[in-house]
Amino acid sequence: MQTITPNLWFNGDAAEAAEFYADAFPHGRVVSTVHYPTENLPDFQKEMAGKPLAVDVDLGGLVITLINAGPEFPINPAISFMLNFDPLVEDDARGSLDRLWAALSAGGQELMALGEYPFSARYGWVQDRYGVNWQLMMTNPGGEQRPFVIPSLMFCGAAQNRAAEAREFYTSVFPSSRTGTVAEYPEQTGPASAGAVMFSDFMLENQWFAAMDSGAEQDFSFTEGVSLAVACEDQAEIDRLWEALSSVPEAEQCGWCKDRFGVSWQIVPANMADLMQRPDAYQKMLAMTKIEIDGF
């Protein structure tokens, strides 16, 4: 069962984007759609009454949630998604990579051109038409197998050179965690100091994530545009993770918090969907900072 779900903030077009991803990805599909209440919404959300609130999309092993909201939190490259095309898993891995690259590039922007690099025979980084960032890569068939989709955190701006610290922190907070590959910069590379993380991956709750320190100056860092929602079994787990992760009091709202690196998290009960079916649940949630299950 997936415990940590990336949430992406869309400016009113989440349903459209969900259909796009379901069509573009080889095994993509829309899983579910939750709608805004039809009444008693706060003034800033009244125009959203009855519209999709969140759409879950399975991209081939990882479910992501597309939040349908306003323009408050544009997505940026600080959190991207690595897509691993493994020749041992798929006969036409290169063809699949190229077809998905073409779909994601249409109306988007290439940040690293598709081609051969020292770390991969075929790799490219693209920001799609909705602002979501994807790294498509042919994997080394001789290495340890990784899932198709891996969320990747780039530590830059205010979080520059903190990737190793973050990896150690996250693996200490979450059970069923371990570190995988770690590669360091051998010398100063742009803002990345010698010994900073050129690439690393690690497992949290049996899910793979990647992290790196940027080797180029960036004018952005982590925002609420991409957050990580953690499904908790009970109030005790919510309390523990909230205590560990929340470091910015002014960012606490509706189960959202922000950690010491600026990464946004949503610490929510695993049965949140059921809780939201209770009378006035939406209004009760809006009044909360940390989620209190008994408050529903």
Side-chain angles (χ1 to χ4, degrees), residues 52-98:
L53 166 60
V55 186
D56 286 349
V57 184
D58 188 331
L59 299 181
L62 182 76
V63 174
I64 64 172
T65 297
L66 312 187
I67 301 171
N68 196 47
E72 295 85 356
F73 303 115
I75 298 169
N76 69 40
I79 299 183
S80 61
F81 296 89
M82 297 188 67
L83 305 177
N84 294 305
F85 293 81
D86 191 337
L88 292 181
V89 174
E90 184 176 4
D91 291 338
D92 187 24
R94 182 180 177 122
S96 292
L97 186 159
D98 288 353

Short mmCIF file of all heavy atoms in Angstrom, two decimals, residues 52-98:
data_model
loop_
_atom_site.label_atom_id
_atom_site.label_comp_id
_atom_site.label_asym_id
_atom_site.label_seq_id
_atom_site.Cartn_x
_atom_site.Cartn_y
_atom_site.Cartn_z
N PRO A 52 -14.26 19.54 -9.40
CA PRO A 52 -13.26 18.62 -8.85
C PRO A 52 -12.35 19.32 -7.84
O PRO A 52 -11.91 20.45 -8.08
CB PRO A 52 -12.47 18.17 -10.08
CG PRO A 52 -13.44 18.30 -11.21
CD PRO A 52 -14.25 19.53 -10.88
N LEU A 53 -12.10 18.67 -6.73
CA LEU A 53 -11.18 19.17 -5.71
C LEU A 53 -9.83 18.48 -5.82
O LEU A 53 -8.78 19.13 -5.75
CB LEU A 53 -11.77 18.92 -4.32
CG LEU A 53 -10.84 19.06 -3.11
CD1 LEU A 53 -10.27 20.47 -3.03
CD2 LEU A 53 -11.57 18.71 -1.82
N ALA A 54 -9.84 17.17 -6.01
CA ALA A 54 -8.60 16.41 -6.13
C ALA A 54 -8.85 15.21 -7.03
O ALA A 54 -9.88 14.56 -6.93
CB ALA A 54 -8.12 15.95 -4.75
N VAL A 55 -7.88 14.95 -7.90
CA VAL A 55 -7.97 13.82 -8.82
C VAL A 55 -6.74 12.94 -8.62
O VAL A 55 -5.60 13.42 -8.70
CB VAL A 55 -8.04 14.28 -10.29
CG1 VAL A 55 -8.29 13.09 -11.20
CG2 VAL A 55 -9.12 15.35 -10.48
N ASP A 56 -6.96 11.67 -8.33
CA ASP A 56 -5.86 10.71 -8.18
C ASP A 56 -5.59 10.03 -9.52
O ASP A 56 -6.50 9.54 -10.17
CB ASP A 56 -6.21 9.65 -7.14
CG ASP A 56 -6.15 10.18 -5.71
OD1 ASP A 56 -5.64 11.30 -5.52
OD2 ASP A 56 -6.61 9.48 -4.80
N VAL A 57 -4.30 10.00 -9.89
CA VAL A 57 -3.89 9.38 -11.14
C VAL A 57 -2.78 8.37 -10.86
O VAL A 57 -1.80 8.69 -10.17
CB VAL A 57 -3.37 10.43 -12.15
CG1 VAL A 57 -3.04 9.78 -13.48
CG2 VAL A 57 -4.40 11.53 -12.35
N ASP A 58 -2.93 7.17 -11.36
CA ASP A 58 -1.89 6.14 -11.27
C ASP A 58 -1.03 6.24 -12.52
O ASP A 58 -1.53 6.09 -13.64
CB ASP A 58 -2.54 4.75 -11.17
CG ASP A 58 -1.53 3.65 -10.88
OD1 ASP A 58 -0.35 3.80 -11.26
OD2 ASP A 58 -1.92 2.64 -10.27
N LEU A 59 0.26 6.51 -12.34
CA LEU A 59 1.16 6.69 -13.48
C LEU A 59 1.93 5.43 -13.83
O LEU A 59 2.91 5.48 -14.58
CB LEU A 59 2.15 7.83 -13.19
CG LEU A 59 1.52 9.20 -12.96
CD1 LEU A 59 2.60 10.23 -12.71
CD2 LEU A 59 0.66 9.60 -14.14
N GLY A 60 1.50 4.31 -13.29
CA GLY A 60 2.19 3.06 -13.55
C GLY A 60 2.95 2.59 -12.32
O GLY A 60 4.14 2.25 -12.41
N GLY A 61 2.25 2.59 -11.18
CA GLY A 61 2.86 2.12 -9.95
C GLY A 61 2.90 3.16 -8.86
O GLY A 61 3.00 2.82 -7.68
N LEU A 62 2.84 4.44 -9.20
CA LEU A 62 2.79 5.50 -8.20
C LEU A 62 1.56 6.34 -8.45
O LEU A 62 1.34 6.84 -9.56
CB LEU A 62 4.04 6.40 -8.27
CG LEU A 62 4.08 7.51 -7.21
CD1 LEU A 62 4.45 6.94 -5.85
CD2 LEU A 62 5.06 8.62 -7.61
N VAL A 63 0.73 6.50 -7.41
CA VAL A 63 -0.44 7.37 -7.50
C VAL A 63 -0.03 8.78 -7.08
O VAL A 63 0.65 8.96 -6.07
CB VAL A 63 -1.58 6.85 -6.60
CG1 VAL A 63 -2.74 7.84 -6.58
CG2 VAL A 63 -2.05 5.49 -7.08
N ILE A 64 -0.41 9.76 -7.89
CA ILE A 64 -0.21 11.16 -7.52
C ILE A 64 -1.59 11.82 -7.44
O ILE A 64 -2.54 11.37 -8.08
CB ILE A 64 0.69 11.92 -8.51
CG1 ILE A 64 0.03 11.99 -9.89
CG2 ILE A 64 2.06 11.28 -8.58
CD1 ILE A 64 0.77 12.90 -10.86
N THR A 65 -1.69 12.85 -6.62
CA THR A 65 -2.93 13.59 -6.47
C THR A 65 -2.78 14.97 -7.10
O THR A 65 -1.83 15.69 -6.80
CB THR A 65 -3.32 13.74 -4.99
OG1 THR A 65 -3.55 12.44 -4.44
CG2 THR A 65 -4.59 14.57 -4.84
N LEU A 66 -3.72 15.32 -7.98
CA LEU A 66 -3.73 16.64 -8.59
C LEU A 66 -4.78 17.48 -7.87
O LEU A 66 -5.97 17.17 -7.89
CB LEU A 66 -4.08 16.54 -10.08
CG LEU A 66 -3.34 15.49 -10.91
CD1 LEU A 66 -3.68 15.65 -12.39
CD2 LEU A 66 -1.84 15.57 -10.69
N ILE A 67 -4.33 18.53 -7.18
CA ILE A 67 -5.21 19.40 -6.43
C ILE A 67 -5.73 20.49 -7.35
O ILE A 67 -4.96 21.19 -8.02
CB ILE A 67 -4.46 20.05 -5.25
CG1 ILE A 67 -3.91 18.97 -4.30
CG2 ILE A 67 -5.38 21.00 -4.49
CD1 ILE A 67 -2.99 19.52 -3.24
N ASN A 68 -7.04 20.63 -7.41
CA ASN A 68 -7.66 21.63 -8.29
C ASN A 68 -7.97 22.87 -7.46
O ASN A 68 -8.89 22.88 -6.65
CB ASN A 68 -8.94 21.05 -8.89
CG ASN A 68 -9.42 21.85 -10.08
OD1 ASN A 68 -8.64 22.18 -10.96
ND2 ASN A 68 -10.70 22.17 -10.12
N ALA A 69 -7.17 23.91 -7.65
CA ALA A 69 -7.32 25.10 -6.81
C ALA A 69 -7.08 26.36 -7.66
O ALA A 69 -7.54 26.43 -8.79
CB ALA A 69 -6.36 25.02 -5.63
N GLY A 70 -6.33 27.30 -7.12
CA GLY A 70 -6.09 28.56 -7.81
C GLY A 70 -4.63 28.75 -8.18
O GLY A 70 -3.85 27.79 -8.19
N PRO A 71 -4.21 29.98 -8.44
CA PRO A 71 -2.85 30.25 -8.91
C PRO A 71 -1.84 30.46 -7.78
O PRO A 71 -0.71 30.88 -8.04
CB PRO A 71 -3.03 31.55 -9.70
CG PRO A 71 -4.13 32.27 -8.97
CD PRO A 71 -5.07 31.19 -8.48
N GLU A 72 -2.20 30.14 -6.55
CA GLU A 72 -1.36 30.51 -5.41
C GLU A 72 0.02 29.87 -5.42
O GLU A 72 1.02 30.50 -5.04
CB GLU A 72 -2.07 30.15 -4.08
CG GLU A 72 -3.33 30.91 -3.81
CD GLU A 72 -4.56 30.29 -4.45
OE1 GLU A 72 -4.41 29.28 -5.19
OE2 GLU A 72 -5.67 30.80 -4.23
N PHE A 73 0.12 28.63 -5.84
CA PHE A 73 1.38 27.90 -5.69
C PHE A 73 1.79 27.22 -7.00
O PHE A 73 1.56 26.03 -7.20
CB PHE A 73 1.26 26.84 -4.59
CG PHE A 73 0.86 27.40 -3.25
CD1 PHE A 73 -0.35 27.05 -2.67
CD2 PHE A 73 1.68 28.29 -2.59
CE1 PHE A 73 -0.72 27.56 -1.44
CE2 PHE A 73 1.32 28.81 -1.36
CZ PHE A 73 0.12 28.45 -0.78
N PRO A 74 2.41 27.97 -7.91
CA PRO A 74 2.88 27.36 -9.16
C PRO A 74 3.92 26.27 -8.89
O PRO A 74 4.73 26.38 -7.97
CB PRO A 74 3.51 28.53 -9.92
CG PRO A 74 2.93 29.76 -9.29
CD PRO A 74 2.69 29.41 -7.86
N ILE A 75 3.89 25.24 -9.68
CA ILE A 75 4.86 24.15 -9.58
C ILE A 75 6.18 24.61 -10.17
O ILE A 75 6.21 25.33 -11.17
CB ILE A 75 4.33 22.90 -10.31
CG1 ILE A 75 3.03 22.41 -9.66
CG2 ILE A 75 5.36 21.79 -10.33
CD1 ILE A 75 2.30 21.36 -10.46
N ASN A 76 7.29 24.20 -9.56
CA ASN A 76 8.61 24.52 -10.12
C ASN A 76 9.49 23.26 -10.10
O ASN A 76 9.07 22.22 -9.60
CB ASN A 76 9.25 25.69 -9.36
CG ASN A 76 9.65 25.35 -7.94
OD1 ASN A 76 10.15 24.26 -7.65
ND2 ASN A 76 9.45 26.28 -7.01
N PRO A 77 10.72 23.32 -10.64
CA PRO A 77 11.54 22.11 -10.77
C PRO A 77 12.16 21.60 -9.46
O PRO A 77 12.90 20.60 -9.51
CB PRO A 77 12.65 22.55 -11.74
CG PRO A 77 12.13 23.75 -12.44
CD PRO A 77 11.27 24.45 -11.42
N ALA A 78 11.90 22.23 -8.31
CA ALA A 78 12.52 21.76 -7.08
C ALA A 78 12.13 20.31 -6.77
O ALA A 78 12.92 19.57 -6.19
CB ALA A 78 12.16 22.68 -5.92
N ILE A 79 10.92 19.92 -7.12
CA ILE A 79 10.52 18.52 -7.01
C ILE A 79 10.05 18.07 -8.39
O ILE A 79 9.09 18.62 -8.93
CB ILE A 79 9.42 18.29 -5.96
CG1 ILE A 79 9.91 18.70 -4.57
CG2 ILE A 79 8.99 16.82 -5.95
CD1 ILE A 79 8.93 18.45 -3.44
N SER A 80 10.77 17.11 -8.93
CA SER A 80 10.45 16.54 -10.24
C SER A 80 10.18 15.05 -10.06
O SER A 80 10.21 14.53 -8.94
CB SER A 80 11.61 16.77 -11.23
OG SER A 80 12.79 16.13 -10.75
N PHE A 81 9.91 14.39 -11.18
CA PHE A 81 9.62 12.96 -11.13
C PHE A 81 10.53 12.23 -12.13
O PHE A 81 10.49 12.52 -13.32
CB PHE A 81 8.15 12.69 -11.44
CG PHE A 81 7.23 13.28 -10.40
CD1 PHE A 81 6.77 14.58 -10.53
CD2 PHE A 81 6.88 12.56 -9.27
CE1 PHE A 81 5.95 15.16 -9.56
CE2 PHE A 81 6.07 13.12 -8.29
CZ PHE A 81 5.61 14.42 -8.43
N MET A 82 11.35 11.33 -11.59
CA MET A 82 12.21 10.52 -12.43
C MET A 82 11.40 9.35 -12.98
O MET A 82 10.70 8.66 -12.22
CB MET A 82 13.41 10.00 -11.64
CG MET A 82 14.32 11.07 -11.12
SD MET A 82 15.83 10.39 -10.39
CE MET A 82 16.61 9.72 -11.86
N LEU A 83 11.50 9.12 -14.28
CA LEU A 83 10.81 8.02 -14.94
C LEU A 83 11.86 7.07 -15.48
O LEU A 83 12.63 7.41 -16.38
CB LEU A 83 9.93 8.56 -16.07
CG LEU A 83 8.91 9.64 -15.67
CD1 LEU A 83 8.16 10.14 -16.89
CD2 LEU A 83 7.94 9.11 -14.61
N ASN A 84 11.91 5.87 -14.90
CA ASN A 84 12.94 4.90 -15.22
C ASN A 84 12.44 3.90 -16.26
O ASN A 84 11.49 3.15 -16.02
CB ASN A 84 13.37 4.15 -13.96
CG ASN A 84 14.07 5.05 -12.96
OD1 ASN A 84 15.05 5.71 -13.30
ND2 ASN A 84 13.56 5.12 -11.74
N PHE A 85 13.10 3.88 -17.39
CA PHE A 85 12.77 2.93 -18.46
C PHE A 85 13.85 1.85 -18.45
O PHE A 85 15.00 2.10 -18.80
CB PHE A 85 12.70 3.64 -19.81
CG PHE A 85 11.55 4.61 -19.89
CD1 PHE A 85 11.66 5.89 -19.34
CD2 PHE A 85 10.37 4.24 -20.51
CE1 PHE A 85 10.60 6.79 -19.42
CE2 PHE A 85 9.30 5.14 -20.58
CZ PHE A 85 9.42 6.41 -20.03
N ASP A 86 13.46 0.66 -18.03
CA ASP A 86 14.41 -0.43 -17.79
C ASP A 86 14.31 -1.45 -18.93
O ASP A 86 13.27 -2.07 -19.12
CB ASP A 86 14.08 -1.11 -16.46
CG ASP A 86 15.15 -2.08 -16.01
OD1 ASP A 86 15.91 -2.57 -16.87
OD2 ASP A 86 15.22 -2.35 -14.80
N PRO A 87 15.39 -1.65 -19.68
CA PRO A 87 15.37 -2.63 -20.78
C PRO A 87 15.07 -4.06 -20.32
O PRO A 87 14.62 -4.88 -21.12
CB PRO A 87 16.77 -2.53 -21.38
CG PRO A 87 17.28 -1.20 -20.96
CD PRO A 87 16.68 -0.94 -19.62
N LEU A 88 15.32 -4.36 -19.05
CA LEU A 88 15.03 -5.70 -18.55
C LEU A 88 13.54 -5.88 -18.25
O LEU A 88 13.06 -7.00 -18.16
CB LEU A 88 15.84 -5.99 -17.29
CG LEU A 88 17.35 -6.12 -17.47
CD1 LEU A 88 18.01 -6.43 -16.14
CD2 LEU A 88 17.69 -7.19 -18.51
N VAL A 89 12.83 -4.78 -18.09
CA VAL A 89 11.41 -4.82 -17.77
C VAL A 89 10.56 -4.70 -19.04
O VAL A 89 9.50 -5.32 -19.17
CB VAL A 89 11.04 -3.71 -16.78
CG1 VAL A 89 9.53 -3.65 -16.55
CG2 VAL A 89 11.78 -3.92 -15.46
N GLU A 90 11.04 -3.90 -19.99
CA GLU A 90 10.26 -3.63 -21.20
C GLU A 90 11.15 -3.79 -22.42
O GLU A 90 12.25 -3.21 -22.49
CB GLU A 90 9.70 -2.21 -21.13
CG GLU A 90 8.81 -1.83 -22.29
CD GLU A 90 8.21 -0.44 -22.13
OE1 GLU A 90 8.58 0.24 -21.15
OE2 GLU A 90 7.40 -0.06 -22.96
N ASP A 91 10.70 -4.56 -23.39
CA ASP A 91 11.49 -4.82 -24.60
C ASP A 91 11.80 -3.54 -25.36
O ASP A 91 12.92 -3.33 -25.81
CB ASP A 91 10.75 -5.80 -25.51
CG ASP A 91 10.69 -7.21 -24.93
OD1 ASP A 91 11.54 -7.52 -24.07
OD2 ASP A 91 9.79 -7.97 -25.32
N ASP A 92 10.81 -2.66 -25.52
CA ASP A 92 10.99 -1.43 -26.28
C ASP A 92 11.07 -0.24 -25.33
O ASP A 92 10.32 0.74 -25.46
CB ASP A 92 9.84 -1.26 -27.28
CG ASP A 92 10.07 -0.09 -28.23
OD1 ASP A 92 11.24 0.30 -28.42
OD2 ASP A 92 9.07 0.46 -28.73
N ALA A 93 11.99 -0.33 -24.35
CA ALA A 93 12.09 0.74 -23.35
C ALA A 93 12.44 2.07 -24.00
O ALA A 93 11.86 3.11 -23.64
CB ALA A 93 13.13 0.37 -22.31
N ARG A 94 13.35 2.07 -24.95
CA ARG A 94 13.74 3.33 -25.60
C ARG A 94 12.57 3.92 -26.38
O ARG A 94 12.33 5.12 -26.33
CB ARG A 94 14.93 3.09 -26.52
CG ARG A 94 15.42 4.38 -27.20
CD ARG A 94 16.61 4.12 -28.11
NE ARG A 94 17.02 5.34 -28.79
CZ ARG A 94 18.21 5.87 -28.71
NH1 ARG A 94 19.15 5.30 -27.97
NH2 ARG A 94 18.52 6.97 -29.37
N GLY A 95 11.82 3.09 -27.07
CA GLY A 95 10.67 3.58 -27.81
C GLY A 95 9.62 4.17 -26.88
O GLY A 95 9.03 5.22 -27.18
N SER A 96 9.38 3.51 -25.76
CA SER A 96 8.41 4.02 -24.78
C SER A 96 8.87 5.35 -24.21
O SER A 96 8.07 6.27 -24.03
CB SER A 96 8.21 3.01 -23.65
OG SER A 96 7.57 1.86 -24.11
N LEU A 97 10.17 5.45 -23.93
CA LEU A 97 10.73 6.71 -23.42
C LEU A 97 10.50 7.83 -24.43
O LEU A 97 10.02 8.92 -24.08
CB LEU A 97 12.21 6.54 -23.12
CG LEU A 97 12.96 7.70 -22.43
CD1 LEU A 97 14.23 7.17 -21.75
CD2 LEU A 97 13.35 8.82 -23.39
N ASP A 98 10.83 7.57 -25.69
CA ASP A 98 10.72 8.61 -26.71
C ASP A 98 9.27 9.04 -26.93
O ASP A 98 8.98 10.23 -27.14
CB ASP A 98 11.32 8.12 -28.03
CG ASP A 98 12.85 8.04 -27.98
OD1 ASP A 98 13.43 8.49 -26.98
OD2 ASP A 98 13.44 7.52 -28.94
#
